[in-house]
Amino acid sequence: MRHPFEEMQALQRQMNALFEQSVQGAEGRESAPRAWAPAVDVVENEREIVLQAELPGLKKEDIEIQLTGETLTIRGERAHASAEQSENFHRIERNYGAFGRAFEIETPIDANAVSASYDEGVLTVRLPKQE
């Protein structure tokens, strides 16, 4: 004889166990260091290619931009402030550490006219196309 309520309770216990495992796994990952890569938008128009990277909390001096051949590389590092490290954190969701992003630029670029600006945590790199 089937007992539908017992089957439903067993299914509920199994689902609860799966949920608890996923939450415990997520909590374990939160305390582990995570690699990060800043979000980047790439836009192209008739005159240029423009990259915009979100780099909140970095100083201009912490960012390295390099154009080598057809590859544009953006590197940097975001570190914990020493004052923050003495605090008793309950949760750390922001990513810290070194990052690097490389972009293949297939359009011929005028390397002498490349420019970059950094304002309010957004890096903008302008790559004018060759005429």
Side-chain angles (χ1 to χ4, degrees), residues 60-66 73-76:
K60 197 178 199 179
E61 306 82 51
D62 297 333
I63 304 167
E64 177 188 335
I65 305 165
Q66 185 175 23
T73 306
I74 302 170
R75 291 187 185 97

Side-chain angles (χ1 to χ4, degrees), residues 4-106:
F5 291 110
E6 289 178 6
E7 290 175 7
M8 287 177 58
Q9 288 175 340
L11 179 60
Q12 182 68 45
R13 282 192 298 274
Q14 291 172 347
M15 291 185 68
N16 287 343
L18 286 172
F19 180 76
E20 288 173 9
Q21 288 172 357
S22 68
V23 170
Q24 289 171 354
E27 288 173 356
R29 285 192 300 273
E30 286 173 3
S31 61
R34 298 177 296 203
W36 76 288
V40 177
D41 292 339
V42 181
V43 180
E44 182 175 0
N45 61 39
E46 292 178 9
R47 298 179 323 251
E48 65 185 354
I49 298 172
V50 179
L51 284 87
Q52 290 188 307
E54 291 182 349
L55 301 171
L58 270 74
K59 296 178 188 155
K60 197 178 199 179
E61 306 82 51
D62 297 333
I63 304 167
E64 177 188 335
I65 305 165
Q66 185 175 23
L67 180 63
T68 307
E70 298 176 346
T71 304
L72 175 73
T73 306
I74 302 170
R75 291 187 185 97
E77 184 168 0
R78 182 167 56 193
H80 274 292
S82 58
E84 289 182 25
Q85 290 179 351
S86 65
E87 299 292 327
N88 185 13
F89 279 95
H90 292 274
R91 182 181 209 94
I92 297 175
E93 292 187 348
R94 295 183 301 158
N95 295 315
Y96 295 92
F99 70 87
R101 297 286 310 264
F103 302 89
E104 294 298 318
I105 310 297
E106 297 174 3

